[in-house]
Amino acid sequence: MSLGRRAFLQFVGGAIGGTLLTPIPWKLADDSAIWTQNWSWRPSPERGEITRVRSVCQLCPGGCGITARLVNGRRAVAVTGNEAHALSGGGVCPMGASSLQYLYAPYRIQQPLKQMGSRGDSKGFKPVSWAEALKEVTAKLTKLRSEGKSHTVACLTGQKRSTMARLWKRFLTAYGSPNFYTMPDAADSMRLAVALTTGRDAEVGFLWDKATYVLNFGAPLLEGWGSPVYLQKVFGRWQTEKPGVPRTVLVHVESRASLTASKAHRWIACNPGTEAALALGIAHVLVRDKLYDAAFVAEKVFGFEDWTDATGAQRKGFRNVVLAKYGVEETAKITGVAPQTIQDLARELAKQKHALVVWGQDKGDKPNSLYHDLAFLALNALLGTLTPSGTVVLVPPDPWGDLPEPVLDTEAYRGAGQTALGRPSTVPRTKAPVNTVLPFLEALASGSEYPVELLFIHEANPAYSLPETALVTQALQKAAMVVSFSSFMDETTQWADIILPNHTALERLDDVIGLPGAPYVYYALASPIVKPLYDTKGTGDVLLNLAAAVGGGVAESHPWKTYEEVLKATVASIAKAGTGLVATAGSFDPASVLPGRPLQPNFKDAADLWNKLKAGACWVDAPAAVESFATPSERYELACQGLMVSISPTAADDLFMPRFHPLKPSGEESEFPLLLVAYASLMLSEGYVPNTPFMNKLLPDDVLRKQDVFVEIHPETARTLGLADKAAAVLKTPRGETPVRVRLTTAVKPGVVAAPQGFGHTAYDEYVQQKGFNANSLVEVQLDPITGLGTLWATRAQLRRA
Amino acid sequence: MSGSAHSEHAESKVRYGMVIDLDKCTGCGACSVACQQENNVSFRPDESDKLRTLSWMTLYRLENGAGYPDYRAAMLPRPCMHCDSPHHSPCTFVCPVNATIRDEHTGIVDHVAVRCIGCRYCMVACPYHARSFNWWDPKWPKSMEAMLTPEVSPRMRGVVEKCTFCHHRLNLARDRARLNGEDPDSVVYTPACAEVCPTGAITFGNLKDPNSDVAKLAKDPRAFRLLEKLHTEPKVYYLSSAQWIRRQSDNGL
Amino acid sequence: MGEVKKSASQKGAGIVFFLAGFIGALLVGWVVFPNVLYSTKTQPITFLHSSHQDSNCEDCHYFRDDGSYNGLPKVAKCAECHAEPMGDSPEEKKLVEEYIQQEREIPWLVYAWQPDNVYFSHAAHTQQQGIECVRCHRDVTKETKNPPFKENRLTGYSDKTMKMVECEKCHAEHGASNACHLCHK
């Protein structure tokens, strides 16, 4: 019987019928649906027990409490706030929330590297062992010291508020170099101003919870200034309706409608960089109309009235200077604020029981003109906010005392006698430290004074995050040897000769000292949340290792074996001081801490304090009340005699008093008719670490679109330039030019260009690179002629169609 | 019809909702980052094409349209509204495969990615743009796969995803209640966004509990919802004392 | 007539062909297919619950404080007793030498392993509803050897892995909610 077509079909029919009665089609359909869920390239996260570790964030000086969630104790999957933290109470900022993306970043440096090719070649790095790398650095340190060149070793660290900064300073002091620098900070100028006016080395803290009226000159309180989450919490409290309690009023002075300006109860729009003039104009009205705190001024202030100096010369006091120079009409002309508004602000301020004047710029990472800091302090003094019942306190940077004095051998003495590279002689001698980073880099780049043989760079990316990036790159190339401790392959690290990678913030034990802008003495320990992922070492330990290897006084000055021991010594001295408490949310009311009322300790001894801090809690104390001043006059000095001495005993009256002193930006107005201002945002990181992919998702498409970054201009400016919204343009300043796109908005004043900070990276990975331009490469730094600190207010710019 | 929004819903003790106080919100973006991390939301090198990007908690900038210096801006965080309109939410009404359904015991609008066929009908139906589509395979840098959480399943190319009110946290809270002998059907929990908000602008809880903060705030005179004229009955309320912000609530986003 | 005959015999033959296909398909579908679809795997270590009668079930399978269920214990749990071999079984030797001493987790083949998009609440079933473990898991108390692990070649899951339809059916029968988020994450 041959199998015909018909038979075949019959067979197939039977087979189909039979198959339908088997699981084959149904099972296959069902299983293939599940098969499609199993693409091997879609990761399926490992399951397991979820545990929590508490710590403190170190990505900015904000000192916020964090909680890390781990799977099976080793894989960190989330970082959120720590609800038990007394000051950040569960809140976190977008950078803190995405901090795991730094820990697990593909651009981590995984072992020590040495540049085998030419400097700056990112592909020239080859792995070396820790022993080999440390040997090389030690050899260089030993050689320079034996040649009497110890002062040519310099350090720039970005970890400003930590025992690490003290350890670096100590290492350089014992080694014999005055060239210790931290990345620029608002405190650099503010501490000088405080030291000159009060005779104390302190930062300014503000009693946010006590103030009923806050006049804020430019500080982006809600965009990363000070301790960001703490201030967001404060703002949340201000905005919470409390029956019978009037809301705290926030009046914000700034040229641009930043988010802080928009969220403020009132926004005073002024010309860019003229906030200090407005402060003095308001001071003028207070003085003219006798609205100031007459008792405080009469009893505690020097230089308000005319006075006679040591040579017998008659000197004009602040009253007459401010009355003569900062009339309402003049101030209005400078600031663009209506005369009536200036008078109203002064009267409103004077009416308040608890007024507060605060000032600042960006994320608190820019020093101010010394005169301007003095002006804002003067306004506070006139309002009597510096009294023990006022709203401004002086927070000492380390009330429990520093580590024991380092041992200075002959080479250390010789080095200490050298001048810091590039430091101007006019810097007033006060108790406050001097941090002339930019003059140092300028001198290094230009090769003046003396060369730098060895430059340490720690937790900082100056080639990206300092203004005038071109200068920094030049300086890096001039240093004979650059040793980087960076955890990441960033723009600066590419110029290193040797990289000794630090653990990232989440892998190391470290500490946070002080909370910028807050009225507390603050200390917290940051515990590691995971074991180090790679072959990295904590820089504290590496530094102690180097100190021991160099020997002599350097080794003697560093008796500790590990960085943990140094931290334990710090904690022990806090415990010994016997005040302050371990604060936890719920039992601690941030508003209850008042100056002059030290908090009662709630810990047994140093070991108990150590354990509590290691578990993520923070130590808080109230600063002393400002009862007296340690100035030559023993009063608050509106006329700073210390400044008069350092400038010239015959200096004109207003040269050692608060004054509006804008530095002229370079470039001709005819060529650069616009003013460029760079703004900060919590959605953008412009410091040591770049934006995370998580943060990039937040950015609106009229700030970043593909590779294009938008600058803000007023529609009127756009009309005169013939630019439509979203149009491509070229932004040029005396420092350089870059393609941009424009966003037309009435948030900025006509004639002003506002550019975001935090874009334009060339290092890291594809999630960060090639997005717009780095505002720091376009802005112009102006060195304060007195302090040498790099200030920034506006840069002349032109915008033209692309 | 809209007045009795809850009338068709099953008798349950809870109806989860959220209130976002725009007077407190500073637009910092912590909520959105916490959401991305909590829910394994994938990202790409370029996130600037907002029609293609995945985002559960999106920040919108509202502007008052005035000239300098009267200009004001405010940020508005937008999760899924978990619409409570009778019978169906706009998205659940159109889903052809029941991949998105509202749970009447909690009011949460569920979306199961593995069931989704990627037709994107729900995205069209949603007036709040709360849904995103996976145009590409999710891809993390190799070293970052270590930070994926097992609490939420990563999605795949070709499906829609959206805010779940962190219902995995609800499940865990319910289990905790069961072990402690408490009633699992009346637990309260906190989604990731509300947990991290530094100003306390986001309040989450049970709208059916008249003593809860969320229920009280939802009745605040400053309270409003987005596009109320569509009668979608969002369970996400906003608070603002600024007229110009409240006015924009009906204008679309 | 011949034509009719031929037609009849063709009809008969047709049924034969049809039946051949039909029965063949049934055989393939019910006998061959299951064997082809599943590959049989053995556990990395023979673990017998019956040899651990001195422990309670909860010693190893317990609820964590956060409400979640720990499922299978980690190797650290095994190490509590087996830091050194207690007997001379080669399987125990393997456990100690290859896993405990090397701090490696044992890659158990889990018979009830569910996809990562599934959330199963043990607390709801065993604690709240009092359902016995053996309603879903095999009875391990008297087991003398590990059952073979039959891995579905297409899905990668065990043949014992419960499918959604079973969950839904039981939920429907008991009036329990079938909301998506109860079981999916």
Side-chain angles (χ1 to χ4, degrees):
Chain A
M1 191 167 61
S2 64
L3 198 68
R5 180 174 165 275
R6 174 181 285 260
F8 176 72
L9 288 177
Q10 280 163 336
F11 178 81
V12 169
I16 291 175
T19 305
L20 289 175
L21 294 178
T22 70
I24 295 178
W26 325 111
K27 184 78 180 147
L28 280 181
D30 195 9
D31 286 354
S32 53
I34 293 173
W35 173 71
T36 65
Q37 298 171 12
N38 292 341
W39 304 131
S40 58
W41 54 90
R42 188 208 64 123
S44 181
E46 169 211 18
R47 305 167 209 190
E49 181 174 19
I50 292 186
T51 51
R52 284 171 168 75
V53 181
R54 280 172 172 171
S55 185
V56 169
C57 186
Q58 296 178 76
L59 292 176
C60 89
C64 303
I66 51 170
T67 306
R69 273 208 313 275
L70 295 116
V71 174
N72 293 326
R74 54 194 158 76
R75 204 161 65 78
V77 297
V79 166
T80 54
N82 174 4
E83 70 285 355
H85 190 275
L87 298 173
S88 65
V92 71
C93 77
M95 187 158 80
S98 49
S99 53
L100 288 179
Q101 293 195 321
Y102 301 119
L103 174 68
Y104 292 115
Y107 48 76
R108 284 282 307 268
I109 297 172
Q110 306 188 1
Q111 70 276 306
L113 298 175
K114 189 180 168 185
Q115 178 62 269
M116 301 293 189
S118 53
R119 284 274 285 279
D121 174 12
S122 60
K123 292 195 175 66
F125 288 105
K126 295 283 173 298
V128 286
S129 72
W130 272 100
E132 210 176 314
L134 287 172
K135 205 173 124 195
E136 194 158 329
V137 179
T138 310
K140 181 91 178 170
L141 281 169
T142 316
K143 182 163 173 278
L144 289 172
R145 205 165 146 83
S146 67
E147 289 170 354
K149 290 186 188 163
S150 61
H151 61 287
T152 61
V153 175
C155 165
L156 174 56
T157 172
Q159 217 180 331
K160 303 176 252 189
R161 291 165 192 272
S162 154
T163 294
M164 251 340 274
R166 293 156 190 236
L167 202 59
W168 269 116
K169 188 169 184 203
R170 181 184 187 83
F171 177 83
L172 286 187
T173 308
Y175 179 80
S177 171
N179 286 306
F180 165 72
Y181 303 97
T182 51
M183 287 294 275
D185 194 284
D188 293 348
S189 62
M190 217 194 269
R191 271 166 85 172
L192 278 175
V194 168
L196 286 167
T197 52
T198 71
R200 294 168 191 279
D201 179 22
E203 288 195 45
V204 181
F206 304 97
L207 288 162
W208 307 99
D209 287 296
K210 185 176 182 184
T212 51
Y213 184 95
V214 178
L215 179 58
N216 173 22
F217 290 94
L221 300 183
L222 306 178
E223 287 145 288
W225 184 87
S227 175
V229 172
Y230 165 70
L231 281 173
Q232 300 259 350
K233 287 257 155 214
V234 167
F235 181 72
R237 290 198 281 275
W238 287 349
Q239 297 289 76
T240 305
E241 203 109 34
K242 283 160 285 211
V245 184
R247 280 196 190 180
T248 301
V249 176
L250 172 63
V251 181
H252 184 73
V253 182
E254 193 187 351
S255 126
R256 175 177 167 270
S258 62
L259 271 173
T260 310
S262 279
K263 301 304 288 188
H265 299 89
R266 197 165 159 206
W267 167 40
I268 310 290
C270 69
N271 292 330
T274 62
E275 287 87 351
L278 183 62
L280 289 167
I282 292 171
H284 171 98
V285 179
L286 292 177
V287 171
R288 187 193 66 193
D289 298 352
K290 298 202 168 47
L291 296 170
Y292 58 90
D293 185 335
F296 179 75
V297 168
E299 288 161 27
K300 299 273 188 187
V301 172
F302 169 81
F304 183 72
E305 304 292 349
D306 296 353
W307 57 290
T308 315
D309 70 14
T311 64
Q314 195 63 26
R315 294 296 198 163
K316 260 198 199 132
F318 180 76
R319 173 209 290 271
N320 284 328
V321 170
V322 87
L323 282 179
K325 290 204 161 175
Y326 300 98
V328 173
E329 294 299 333
E330 288 92 328
T331 309
K333 222 172 280 164
I334 300 169
T335 60
V337 178
Q340 192 56 45
T341 311
I342 298 172
Q343 310 215 36
D344 290 349
L345 281 173
R347 284 176 193 142
E348 240 176 272
L349 260 181
K351 260 200 326 231
Q352 301 299 322
K353 199 169 164 206
H354 295 301
L356 170 60
V357 173
V358 53
W359 66 101
Q361 192 184 355
D362 293 351
K363 293 187 182 167
D365 50 1
K366 311 265 184 321
N368 207 339
S369 151
L370 179 68
Y371 287 127
H372 295 178
D373 274 341
L374 291 177
F376 298 119
L377 277 172
L379 190 51
N380 270 307
L382 288 182
L383 292 166
T385 60
L386 283 155
T387 58
S389 60
T391 50
V392 173
V393 288
L394 300 182
V395 184
D398 49 355
W400 52 82
D402 207 341
L403 300 166
E405 284 295 308
V407 182
L408 299 188
D409 55 20
T410 22
E411 182 56 16
Y413 269 116
R414 196 202 58 76
Q418 304 284 324
T419 332
L421 187 60
R423 182 164 300 167
S425 55
T426 48
V427 183
R429 273 171 233 279
T430 66
K431 288 178 186 162
V434 181
N435 186 35
T436 45
V437 190
L438 283 155
F440 163 77
L441 291 170
E442 266 184 16
L444 172 54
S446 67
S448 60
E449 297 180 40
Y450 53 84
V452 169
E453 296 291 341
L454 178 56
L455 175 61
F456 292 116
I457 297 186
H458 170 237
E459 296 285 291
N461 183 13
Y464 174 83
S465 59
L466 280 185
E468 307 227 1
T469 49
L471 170 78
V472 182
T473 315
Q474 268 175 38
L476 286 170
Q477 285 166 273
K478 281 283 174 69
M481 181 174 177
V482 176
V483 175
S484 165
F485 294 85
S486 182
S487 309
F488 312 110
M489 190 50 89
D490 52 41
E491 284 87 352
T492 308
T493 306
Q494 290 183 349
W495 291 102
D497 296 285
I498 291 182
I499 307 171
L500 305 173
N502 195 359
H503 299 323
T504 59
L506 296 174
E507 296 167 310
R508 63 173 189 251
L509 182 66
D510 220 323
D511 65 355
V512 178
I513 304 172
L515 217 54
Y520 315 110
V521 193
Y522 177 90
Y523 186 84
L525 278 179
S527 308
I529 62 154
V530 285
K531 285 199 188 120
L533 300 184
Y534 306 114
D535 184 18
T536 54
K537 276 188 202 292
T539 302
D541 291 327
V542 172
L543 197 52
L544 293 175
N545 196 322
L546 288 174
V550 170
V554 188
E556 269 180 74
S557 302
H558 297 83
W560 310 279
K561 280 199 186 60
T562 60
Y563 184 54
E564 183 169 345
E565 284 180 27
V566 186
L567 296 177
K568 278 191 170 154
T570 307
V571 170
S573 52
I574 296 177
K576 206 172 140 203
T579 69
L581 53 75
V582 176
T584 41
S587 62
F588 175 83
D589 174 12
S592 70
V593 182
L594 294 172
R597 287 195 218 157
L599 302 173
Q600 284 308 307
N602 57 353
F603 48 89
K604 284 199 288 290
D605 51 18
D608 186 33
L609 178 60
W610 173 264
N611 290 336
K612 283 177 170 157
L613 291 177
K614 258 193 96 175
C618 59
W619 174 90
V620 175
D621 198 7
V626 188
E627 309 264 12
S628 64
F629 299 96
T631 52
S633 61
E634 295 185 342
R635 287 169 170 228
Y636 179 92
E637 296 206 336
L638 278 173
C640 304
Q641 300 190 68
L643 189 54
M644 184 175 89
V645 172
S646 70
I647 300 173
S648 149
T650 56
D653 296 328
D654 63 340
L655 288 186
F656 49 91
M657 255 194 253
R659 64 181 186 136
F660 178 58
H661 184 60
L663 299 166
K664 201 173 167 295
S666 65
E668 286 309 312
E669 200 172 343
S670 53
E671 192 190 354
F672 300 105
L674 306 171
L675 283 180
L676 169 69
V677 293
Y679 66 88
S681 156
L682 273 177
M683 292 178 187
L684 285 161
S685 171
E686 70 302 294
Y688 170 49
V689 287
N691 255 27
T692 60
F694 283 160
M695 287 161 81
N696 282 343
K697 202 166 273 216
L698 304 174
L699 297 167
D701 61 357
D702 56 5
V703 171
L704 173 72
R705 174 86 194 170
K706 303 271 182 221
Q707 271 97 53
D708 301 334
V709 164
F710 288 72
V711 295
E712 297 174 348
I713 54 170
H714 193 275
E716 219 170 84
T717 317
R719 207 161 31 245
T720 53
L721 297 170
L723 287 167
D725 193 26
K726 296 189 171 55
V730 174
L731 175 63
K732 187 179 171 192
T733 73
R735 291 288 174 265
E737 67 172 54
T738 180
V740 296
R741 285 171 78 175
V742 294
R743 179 162 90 86
L744 271 47
T745 169
T746 50
V748 292
K749 203 176 162 75
V752 171
V753 186
Q757 301 172 0
F759 288 114
H761 277 288
T762 53
Y764 306 107
D765 61 3
E766 57 178 339
Y767 294 88
V768 185
Q769 278 166 5
Q770 313 306 336
K771 292 183 195 297
F773 62 95
N774 181 2
N776 283 326
S777 64
L778 292 180
V779 296
E780 181 189 8
V781 173
Q782 289 166 314
L783 299 186
D784 184 317
I786 299 205
T787 60
L789 299 176
T791 67
L792 257 155
W793 67 283
T795 306
R796 285 204 201 282
Q798 65 155 254
L799 203 55
R800 59 172 198 269
R801 289 164 79 160
Chain B
M1 172 144 181
S2 64
S4 55
H6 293 247
S7 61
E8 288 194 19
H9 305 314
E11 280 310 310
S12 66
K13 294 171 197 159
V14 290
R15 201 107 198 128
Y16 296 110
M18 185 181 278
V19 178
I20 304 178
D21 187 338
L22 298 181
D23 290 343
K24 286 185 180 173
C25 173
T26 62
C28 73
C31 54
S32 178
V33 169
C35 169
Q36 294 175 52
Q37 175 170 251
E38 180 81 15
N39 294 298
N40 292 332
V41 176
S42 73
F43 47 81
R44 294 171 56 78
D46 177 34
E47 283 288 342
S48 67
D49 184 347
K50 299 301 176 189
L51 291 175
R52 294 284 181 273
T53 180
L54 295 164
S55 176
W56 294 14
M57 184 64 145
T58 305
L59 291 171
Y60 289 92
R61 189 200 302 116
L62 309 180
E63 296 175 314
N64 69 347
Y68 187 90
D70 297 316
Y71 171 95
R72 294 290 182 280
M75 300 298 274
L76 182 139
R78 191 244 47 227
C80 169
M81 298 288 140
H82 293 271
C83 296
D84 230 356
S85 42
H87 189 55
H88 262 297
S89 307
C91 52
T92 62
F93 185 66
V94 300
C95 181
V97 293
N98 278 349
T100 188
I101 302 176
R102 186 172 64 219
D103 167 32
E104 297 304 349
H105 292 277
T106 57
I108 294 177
V109 175
D110 294 328
H111 180 88
V112 181
V114 285
R115 194 177 181 111
C116 174
I117 57 168
C119 72
R120 288 174 279 144
Y121 201 171
C122 56
M123 291 176 68
V124 178
C126 175
Y128 302 102
H129 299 256
R131 291 169 165 270
S132 331
F133 182 68
N134 283 271
W135 290 93
W136 299 276
D137 282 309
K139 191 175 154 236
W140 287 268
K142 201 72 202 152
S143 54
M144 280 191 196
E145 285 184 5
M147 61 179 283
L148 290 175
T149 163
E151 292 176 287
V152 177
S153 171
R155 279 72 57 194
M156 57 287 286
R157 181 177 57 183
V159 299
V160 168
E161 61 182 71
K162 72 158 190 88
C163 157
T164 61
F165 265 176
C166 283
H167 70 228
H168 57 286
R169 290 190 174 206
L170 167 63
N171 282 339
L172 200 58
R174 285 164 61 91
D175 277 355
R176 211 162 28 235
R178 287 178 180 119
L179 290 185
N180 297 336
E182 292 155 14
D183 178 13
D185 295 328
S186 59
V187 293
V188 283
Y189 69 104
T190 311
C193 54
E195 183 187 23
V196 301
C197 177
T199 59
I202 305 179
T203 311
F204 185 84
N206 181 7
L207 288 168
K208 274 195 174 175
D209 173 5
N211 295 317
S212 70
D213 289 344
V214 74
K216 284 182 202 156
L217 286 171
K219 293 192 180 70
D220 191 284
R222 293 181 295 146
F224 65 92
R225 293 182 288 180
L226 301 182
L227 303 174
E228 282 191 69
K229 63 184 173 194
L230 298 180
H231 303 298
T232 50
E233 305 295 338
K235 286 197 287 291
V236 177
Y237 293 76
Y238 291 89
L239 303 178
S240 175
S241 46
Q243 263 309 316
W244 68 267
I245 292 175
R246 300 162 60 83
R247 262 202 307 275
Q248 294 193 36
S249 63
D250 259 4
N251 292 348
L253 285 170
Chain C
M1 283 305 272
E3 274 184 72
V4 175
K5 240 187 196 168
K6 192 183 172 191
S7 150
S9 83
Q10 268 180 345
K11 229 178 223 163
I15 288 170
V16 171
F17 286 125
F18 181 85
L19 281 179
F22 187 79
I23 293 166
L26 286 179
L27 282 174
V28 168
W30 287 103
V31 183
V32 181
F33 174 68
N35 286 310
V36 174
L37 184 63
Y38 294 100
S39 65
T40 304
K41 294 191 166 176
T42 48
Q43 296 288 358
I45 286 183
T46 305
F47 173 86
L48 293 179
H49 286 86
S50 51
S51 320
H52 292 80
Q53 298 284 9
D54 49 339
S55 319
N56 290 325
C57 304
E58 291 77 21
D59 285 348
C60 294
H61 310 290
Y62 54 86
F63 287 97
R64 304 189 189 105
D65 288 343
D66 67 358
S68 62
Y69 192 64
N70 89 317
L72 298 190
K74 298 276 170 201
V75 79
K77 185 77 201 170
C78 311
E80 284 178 14
C81 300
H82 297 276
E84 297 295 329
M86 297 167 80
D88 47 11
S89 111
E91 290 294 297
E92 193 198 7
K93 192 160 170 266
K94 196 156 103 184
L95 166 74
V96 173
E97 286 174 5
E98 290 181 22
Y99 297 102
I100 294 178
Q101 286 174 357
Q102 298 184 33
E103 292 181 19
R104 277 173 59 208
E105 289 301 331
I106 306 163
W108 295 117
L109 301 166
V110 183
Y111 301 98
W113 190 253
Q114 288 284 339
D116 61 23
N117 64 71
V118 173
Y119 178 86
F120 179 80
S121 165
H122 278 91
H125 294 86
T126 64
Q127 300 302 107
Q128 203 184 358
Q129 298 296 325
I131 298 170
E132 292 297 323
C133 306
V134 290
R135 168 69 181 79
C136 303
H137 298 283
R138 68 188 196 279
D139 183 357
V140 296
T141 46
K142 295 188 186 70
E143 231 167 57
T144 52
K145 62 180 203 304
N146 290 144
F149 181 89
K150 290 191 155 183
E151 186 188 88
N152 187 312
R153 291 180 202 271
L154 212 47
T155 67
Y157 295 96
S158 151
D159 64 337
K160 301 283 189 305
T161 292
M162 214 183 247
K163 290 251 171 139
M164 178 169 149
V165 61
E166 292 178 68
C167 311
E168 281 182 306
K169 215 171 107 194
C170 193
H171 270 226
E173 282 166 7
H174 291 84
S177 166
N178 259 327
C180 311
H181 76 249
L182 286 186
C183 311
H184 286 286
K185 60 186 171 72

